[in-house]
Amino acid sequence: MEASILARRVGRFKWYVRAVATQVVRVTFTVEPNYAGWRLDRYLQEKIRRLSRERIQHLISSRLEAEGGRRLKPSTRVQPGLTFALLKDQEPEPETPLDFEVVHDDGALLVVDKPAGLPVHPTARYAAHTFTSVAKLRFPDRKVDPAHRLDRETSGLLACGSAPEVTRVLKRDFAHGRVAKTYLALAHGAPAEDRFVVDAPLALTGASAVRVRMHVDAAGLPSTTAFEVLERRTAPDGAPVALLACRPRTGRQHQIRAHLLHAGLPMVGDKIYGPDEHIFDRFTRREMTDDDRARLRLPRHALHAWKLELPHPVTRAAVALEAALPGDLAAFWDACERARRIA
């Protein structure tokens, strides 16, 4: 058989294998009231910040389905309640931890200890391997819905309603500051004070190679975090490391991580706000180096949702919950202690 014919057939076969392995996933959006009147492309750019406006416009033209077959354009002005879906080719998902411990469950309020690496909601790379997908299988007779966000790499307490009316109350309590959240973080550096507050407005300025990176900016949204140093130790390589309790008084994206960087205490393992923001770009392209890993010290950012204090969404009784520092962060912290003792 001629080499050129064989090459074409092999190429077609490879395309067929990729097509069979690839599934089309519908990512659904429902426009919230605060986006009324926005252009559709601006709305989606706000929701999928890693994509350029040109890419968003292409997706609207070629990969968008609206209810009732309505045709939407990039310039369409969205209204609350508008529901549509983007179609995307879903490659095999990365392996993630799919099990989680139930910390509290009374039939209305469900609080779990989310493992690091498990996304809460579907994203471009994750669909079935998410907390919400796993929760549907684990609790098929309930509508479990998280009332707040935790980043994929953040471990710890995640509060959920078990019915829409319960979740609405929970989300309102979070939005109105009636929930006290305390996180544990491991940070590079030696804080000068045992207690300090970072009061610095945050915004997405576009001044970074990482689209989702927040910056301290005078024109940003008010953002305040209180920090308490629980202990200071020395990492195995001799660098100072601190364990901090972090109490956000506002709820901005990446707030604790951005405020720690602003305080000169970048979080251990943080690919965006750590020693070099370009590490995140290399991570997404699967091109991280051994030097990157050594500088990060941990394969994920060292943030754990430790404590929650909130009014019960039905009874309004006070609920206080806690999740211990997970094994990976505890092992790193123990290694720091051993390094100090040897020294």
Side-chain angles (χ1 to χ4, degrees):
M1 183 181 296
E2 249 182 71
S4 60
I5 297 175
L6 178 62
R8 284 198 298 273
R9 290 187 179 179
V10 170
R12 291 192 194 104
F13 175 73
K14 288 181 177 178
W15 175 87
Y16 173 76
V17 171
R18 285 197 301 271
V20 169
T22 300
Q23 297 179 335
V24 175
V25 178
R26 301 177 83 257
V27 181
T28 302
F29 298 83
T30 300
V31 177
E32 303 88 341
N34 53 307
Y35 293 105
W38 283 42
R39 283 175 56 111
L40 177 58
D41 54 359
R42 285 283 295 111
Y43 171 79
L44 278 175
Q45 195 174 19
E46 177 75 8
K47 293 295 181 178
I48 316 175
R49 291 173 173 167
R50 61 188 177 80
L51 297 183
S52 67
R53 191 167 184 179
E54 291 74 17
R55 178 61 179 159
I56 291 289
Q57 291 174 342
H58 174 74
L59 290 175
I60 292 170
S61 301
S62 61
R63 306 284 282 176
L64 186 143
E65 286 184 354
E67 286 185 335
R70 178 183 174 190
R71 186 166 177 236
L72 302 179
K73 299 185 294 184
S75 60
T76 298
R77 299 288 175 174
V78 301
Q79 296 302 324
L82 173 66
T83 298
F84 60 88
L86 288 180
L87 307 182
K88 71 183 190 69
D89 295 333
Q90 180 67 50
E91 299 293 337
E93 295 184 32
E95 289 298 317
T96 60
L98 298 178
D99 193 22
F100 52 82
E101 178 187 350
V102 173
V103 178
H104 176 96
D105 185 9
D106 56 28
L109 172 65
L110 172 70
V111 182
V112 305
D113 187 354
K114 185 189 83 68
L118 177 63
V120 174
H121 296 288
T123 67
R125 295 183 67 199
Y126 300 89
H129 295 180
T130 63
F131 169 77
T132 51
S133 296
V134 175
K136 286 179 183 177
L137 298 175
R138 188 161 169 180
F139 306 101
D141 57 338
R142 299 154 71 177
K143 186 169 174 49
V144 173
D145 190 13
H148 58 117
R149 296 187 319 168
L150 286 182
D151 290 335
R152 183 180 64 84
E153 291 191 0
T154 302
S155 56
L157 297 175
L158 180 67
C160 311
S162 291
E165 61 274 15
V166 177
T167 304
R168 280 195 293 271
V169 175
L170 276 173
K171 288 183 175 180
R172 189 162 58 241
D173 285 340
F174 274 92
H176 289 237
R178 290 190 282 266
V179 179
K181 299 176 288 184
T182 305
Y183 294 76
L184 292 175
L186 296 170
H188 299 280
E193 301 175 332
D194 288 341
R195 289 179 174 80
F196 59 97
V197 174
V198 175
D199 187 356
L202 294 173
L204 279 170
T205 65
S208 168
V210 181
R211 288 181 177 274
V212 297
R213 191 175 190 267
M214 302 293 285
H215 296 81
V216 172
D217 188 291
L221 295 171
S223 309
T224 307
T225 311
F227 295 97
E228 178 185 356
V229 180
L230 302 179
E231 193 173 351
R232 297 171 174 83
R233 294 185 183 178
T234 303
D237 61 2
V241 182
L243 174 66
L244 302 103
C246 317
R247 299 180 176 89
R249 296 175 183 170
T250 51
R252 311 304 176 205
Q253 176 176 296
H254 300 172
Q255 178 175 312
I256 294 172
R257 298 159 65 190
H259 277 174
L260 279 175
L261 177 63
H262 185 65
L265 301 164
M267 189 177 293
V268 174
D270 200 325
K271 302 172 188 67
I272 298 178
Y273 301 92
D276 177 1
E277 69 179 60
H278 295 286
I279 291 177
F280 180 75
D281 180 55
R282 292 192 287 274
F283 168 74
T284 59
R285 290 187 281 111
R286 298 175 176 83
E287 295 176 0
M288 278 181 58
T289 66
D290 290 341
D291 181 61
D292 290 336
R293 296 182 184 91
R295 295 172 72 190
L296 289 171
R297 293 194 175 93
L298 279 172
R300 62 102 162 186
H301 63 238
L303 185 63
H304 176 68
W306 180 30
K307 294 181 179 181
L308 273 180
E309 298 175 40
L310 69 160
H312 190 279
V314 177
T315 68
R316 309 311 284 167
V319 178
L321 301 167
E322 182 175 325
L325 196 67
D328 60 337
L329 302 188
F332 175 82
W333 192 235
D334 288 345
C336 293
E337 174 67 8
R338 286 195 296 273
R340 188 179 70 173
R341 286 174 179 168
I342 292 170

